[in-house]
């Protein structure tokens, strides 16, 4: 059980980043780049704060999920900027 928990901790940021980068495209299309960047930055900041204040592994996993959402939104924004030039 402990091994599965550590695996969840490790992979949570990647899974959240993958899913949120797919979901970030419609958000950016509907609301524009600035709100999308703000959403990504706010979730990354919240994930960092939660990870720093975590008292157990479950809080760390939730913090890493929020970090993944921030990374997914930022990744999608960088892709739009690179390909739109």
């Amino acid at each position: 059980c402990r091994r599965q928990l550590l695996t969840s901790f490790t992979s949570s940021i990647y899974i959240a980043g993958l899913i949120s980068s797919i979901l970030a495209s419609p958000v950016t299309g509907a609301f524009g780049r600035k709100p999308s960047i703000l959403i990504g930055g706010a979730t990354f900041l919240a994930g960092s704060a939660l990870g720093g204040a975590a008292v157990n592994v479950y809080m760390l996993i939730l913090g890493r999920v929020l970090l993944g959402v921030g990374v997914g939104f930022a990744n999608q924004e960088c892709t739009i900027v690179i390909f739109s030039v």
Side-chain angles (χ1 to χ4, degrees), residues 3-18:
R3 193 176 211 101
Q4 291 174 345
L5 195 60
L6 292 175
T7 302
S8 299
F9 169 74
T10 304
S11 61
S12 60
I13 191 169
Y14 303 116
I15 294 170
L18 173 70

Side-chain angles (χ1 to χ4, degrees), residues 46-66:
S48 299
L50 189 60
V55 294
N56 58 28
V57 177
Y58 299 107
M59 285 181 70
L60 277 172
I61 292 173
L62 181 60
R64 293 210 16 133
V65 167
L66 290 174

Side-chain angles (χ1 to χ4, degrees), residues 11-82:
S11 61
S12 60
I13 191 169
Y14 303 116
I15 294 170
L18 173 70
I19 293 170
S20 65
S21 64
I22 293 169
L23 297 177
S25 182
V27 171
T28 304
F31 301 108
R33 282 195 333 219
K34 186 175 180 179
S36 184
I37 290 171
L38 290 174
I39 291 169
T43 55
F44 194 87
L45 183 65
S48 299
L50 189 60
V55 294
N56 58 28
V57 177
Y58 299 107
M59 285 181 70
L60 277 172
I61 292 173
L62 181 60
R64 293 210 16 133
V65 167
L66 290 174
L67 286 171
V69 171
V71 167
F73 269 80
N75 180 41
Q76 196 269 339
E77 290 304 322
C78 291
T79 305
I80 286 177
V81 171
I82 290 171

